[in-house]
Amino acid sequence: MSRVERFFERLVERPSARLFRTRLQPLQVLRRVERAMESGRVVRDGRELAPDQFMIHVHPGDLADLGDPTIVAGDLASGALAFARAHRLAIAERPRVSIRPDGAVVRGEVDIRASISEPATVAPAPDAGTRVFEVPVPRSPRASLHVREPGRLSRDVVVTGPMRIGRANECEVAVRDPRVSRQHARLHARDGHLVLTDLGSTNGTRVNGQRIREVVLGDGDRILVGETEIVVGGAPDDATTG
């Protein structure tokens, strides 16, 4: 079935790309990654696992149009993680993406080589360990933030709705860090998930070491803005159960 789908994709997309000279967009690449995750599932040790490692080959001209490969790869990895969580796909490790220029790839097409990593222990399915936060509401907060600013005592902030992170006093999570922009990033709910969006900050936002534009957050994720680290945790009332 996946071969048939790829055949029709090429049948339709290749002539249109040549005729209209459309630029390859990151969202198009992400859709291919998602399909690779679905079609590449295998049973290993009695569990069905989806690919989590992606080597993406694109035409050098398309690579230039996509933008900074490091940022795009990070965004694609975050998108793959969000897709796995949303569709309850078990993955061995947090997705990793690398993008390479390849003159053999036709302009406008994408060659994805997906594989499954082999860690010492396989990460549990999202409902068993990797939690995805539901829409936070003031009555029942579903997440908390452990904020560690340079030179200051750490503190915990409960997520009660949309929250901005930055140096400005009006930010719900205001930090005194000169490397943080006044309006640096924003936490908000989308489709039942807790999402972090960079607001065009000067020094960027990183989650678990990867620079991001937007990412779905889960329990234990580490956000870095400037020199301030913010660790995502469960709601305070969840702490009594651990």
Side-chain angles (χ1 to χ4, degrees):
M1 180 64 68
S2 61
R3 291 181 180 178
V4 174
E5 289 179 352
R6 286 196 295 270
F7 170 77
F8 282 106
E9 286 173 3
R10 290 171 181 165
L11 186 66
V12 174
E13 294 176 2
R14 185 181 297 176
S16 61
R18 289 177 178 174
L19 180 61
F20 298 106
R21 304 281 183 181
T22 55
R23 295 175 55 181
L24 185 65
Q25 300 294 325
L27 184 59
Q28 294 174 271
V29 183
L30 177 58
R31 292 294 174 261
R32 303 291 184 85
V33 170
E34 293 172 352
R35 286 197 286 270
M37 295 181 75
E38 288 187 316
S39 63
R41 288 178 290 180
V42 300
V43 176
R44 180 180 295 177
D45 297 328
R47 299 189 61 194
E48 186 179 63
L49 293 176
D52 55 77
Q53 309 290 307
F54 305 93
M55 179 72 68
I56 300 176
H57 290 244
V58 298
H59 188 276
D62 286 330
L63 182 60
D65 289 340
L66 286 173
D68 187 330
T70 302
I71 295 177
V72 174
D75 289 346
L76 291 173
S78 297
L81 178 61
F83 182 80
R85 287 172 170 169
H87 291 77
R88 305 177 72 83
L89 297 178
I91 51 178
E93 290 186 354
R94 178 175 289 270
R96 294 185 180 180
V97 175
S98 59
I99 306 176
R100 294 185 179 179
D102 189 340
V105 178
V106 176
R107 189 82 185 253
E109 293 192 8
V110 181
D111 180 15
I112 296 182
R113 302 168 191 182
S115 61
I116 298 174
S117 58
E118 298 185 12
T121 57
V122 172
D127 60 331
T130 303
R131 299 188 300 179
V132 175
F133 294 114
E134 298 190 7
V135 178
V137 294
R139 294 181 183 175
S140 178
R142 302 292 297 173
S144 64
L145 308 174
H146 188 65
V147 184
R148 301 168 182 166
E149 298 176 59
R152 304 191 71 192
L153 294 176
S154 61
R155 69 186 193 275
D156 292 321
V157 178
V158 175
V159 177
T160 58
M163 306 180 76
R164 293 161 297 174
I165 302 171
R167 286 189 295 109
N169 292 332
E170 62 266 23
C171 289
E172 289 75 17
V173 185
V175 297
R176 296 180 181 177
D177 186 335
R179 292 180 56 81
V180 173
S181 299
R182 288 182 57 80
Q183 302 274 348
H184 197 104
R186 180 173 180 264
L187 285 164
H188 54 105
R190 181 188 299 161
D191 297 331
H193 301 158
L194 185 63
V195 178
L196 175 69
T197 303
D198 182 83
L199 298 178
S201 62
T202 301
N203 295 312
T205 302
R206 294 183 179 274
V207 174
N208 300 324
Q210 293 187 341
R211 185 162 180 169
I212 62 95
R213 291 176 182 167
E214 187 171 87
V215 66
V216 174
L217 295 173
D219 192 11
D221 281 343
R222 295 177 179 271
I223 305 166
L224 187 66
V225 292
E227 296 182 0
T228 298
E229 183 182 61
I230 303 173
V231 182
V232 182
D237 51 342
D238 290 344
T240 58
T241 62

